[in-house]
């Protein structure tokens, strides 16, 4: 059994689940907003870089900390995070796994690397901008739409989430990856100072937007 980003996984074939989307997450497609778990092969999903793209398949797994019959048991399940509306462009509250890849806008990134958008793990936001852990209960089904190449899709009415291609999900040493090659992917392990600076930028923008909403300033 492999251990990937806090999940104990029964082999690399399920390593993708560490950065998948929770059932109930809405994604934008040709038919409008729909729950990710309702996607079928051939459905077209709106991507950030390449418009509508067909889904090749949707990876799915149901996990449980109690070994219920018919479920894959992952020990040490991560607690689901709740991201309030407006933190990363999401118009609605989001529930995400800590390893879900999110694309965020950053003036600092643009100044430093010439690109305004960077990828971070959702868990990097814990404790900032009202992002909290939810009480651990039954973990919903985890889904991940798979495309011909890695894509970034619109979810939760405005947020941007990474959907890697299979080759990006599982490397030779069975470590899950959440990024696509189009964007710089920041991790706490290798980019801590820069990641912290970007998070502080997000916090500042979030506070400013809240003041505008409350006071009309």
């Amino acid at each position: 059994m492999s251990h990937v980003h806090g999940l104990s996984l029964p082999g690399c074939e399920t390593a993708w689940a560490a950065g998948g989307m929770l059932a109930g997450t809405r994604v934008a497609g040709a038919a409008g907003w729909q729950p990710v778990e309702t996607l079928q092969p051939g459905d077209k999903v709106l991507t950030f870089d390449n418009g509508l793209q067909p889904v090749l398949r949707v990876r799915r797994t149901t996990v449980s900390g109690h070994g219920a019959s018919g479920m894959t048991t992952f020990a040490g399940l991560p607690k689901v995070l709740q991201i309030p509306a407006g933190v990363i462009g999401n118009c609605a509250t989001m529930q995400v796994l800590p390893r879900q890849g999110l694309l965020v806008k950053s003036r600092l990134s643009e100044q430093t690397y010439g690109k305004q958008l960077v990828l971070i793990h959702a868990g990097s936001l814990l404790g900032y901008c009202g992002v909290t852990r939810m009480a651990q209960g039954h973990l919903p089904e985890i889904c991940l739409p798979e495309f011909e190449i890695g894509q970034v899709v619109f979810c939760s009415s405005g947020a941007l989430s990474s959907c890697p291609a299979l080759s990006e999900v599982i490397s030779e040493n069975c470590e899950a990856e959440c990024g696509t090659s189009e964007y710089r992917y920041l991790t706490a392990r290798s980019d801590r100072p820069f990641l912290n600076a970007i998070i502080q930028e997000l916090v500042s923008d979030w506070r400013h937007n809240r003041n505008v909403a409350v006071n009309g300033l």
Side-chain angles (χ1 to χ4, degrees), residues 21 27 36 39 45 55 57-59 143-147 163-164:
M21 298 182 189
V27 296
V36 63
L39 290 174
V45 170
V55 174
R57 65 171 168 171
V58 181
R59 293 176 171 269
C143 305
L144 187 67
E146 188 178 333
F147 302 88
C163 290

Side-chain angles (χ1 to χ4, degrees), residues 6-209:
L7 288 173
S8 298
L9 304 174
C12 296
E13 68 277 4
T14 51
W16 62 267
M21 298 182 189
L22 296 174
T25 300
R26 297 192 306 159
V27 296
W33 293 97
Q34 66 183 99
V36 63
E37 69 272 19
T38 66
L39 290 174
Q40 299 295 326
D43 288 350
K44 290 189 175 182
V45 170
L46 182 62
T47 69
F48 184 69
D49 297 293
N50 300 298
L52 290 169
Q53 291 293 314
V55 174
L56 297 183
R57 65 171 168 171
V58 181
R59 293 176 171 269
R60 307 172 188 273
T61 192
T62 302
V63 300
S64 170
H66 306 289
S69 176
M71 295 183 179
T72 301
T73 301
F74 293 172
L77 293 175
K79 289 190 175 181
V80 174
L81 304 182
Q82 183 160 287
I83 301 179
V87 173
I88 52 171
N90 51 313
C91 295
T93 299
M94 297 176 63
Q95 294 179 4
V96 300
L97 290 173
R99 305 305 296 189
Q100 184 172 330
L102 301 173
L103 196 65
V104 298
K105 292 182 179 181
S106 166
R107 296 179 296 278
L108 180 60
S109 177
E110 185 173 29
Q111 294 166 5
T112 306
Y113 298 109
K115 289 190 174 182
Q116 189 182 39
L117 299 168
V118 292
L119 275 165
I120 65 172
H121 281 144
S124 301
L125 297 172
L126 180 61
Y128 302 96
C129 304
V131 177
T132 58
R133 286 193 181 101
M134 299 182 65
Q136 189 70 43
H138 173 69
L139 194 65
E141 182 181 38
I142 301 173
C143 305
L144 187 67
E146 188 178 333
F147 302 88
E148 184 175 357
I149 61 173
Q151 301 286 355
V152 172
V153 303
F154 290 88
C155 66
S156 298
S157 302
L160 295 166
S161 181
S162 173
C163 290
L166 178 60
S167 60
E168 296 174 311
V169 174
I170 305 172
S171 66
E172 291 181 358
N173 62 356
C174 295
E175 288 189 355
E177 301 290 343
C178 83
T180 71
S181 58
E182 294 291 324
Y183 302 100
R184 183 177 178 85
Y185 165 47
L186 303 180
T187 67
R189 181 170 54 186
S190 59
D191 304 287
R192 171 59 72 182
F194 191 61
L195 177 60
N196 285 345
I198 285 181
I199 290 174
Q200 290 306 315
E201 183 181 41
L202 290 173
V203 170
S204 177
D205 290 345
W206 176 70
R207 287 175 175 167
H208 171 75
N209 292 336

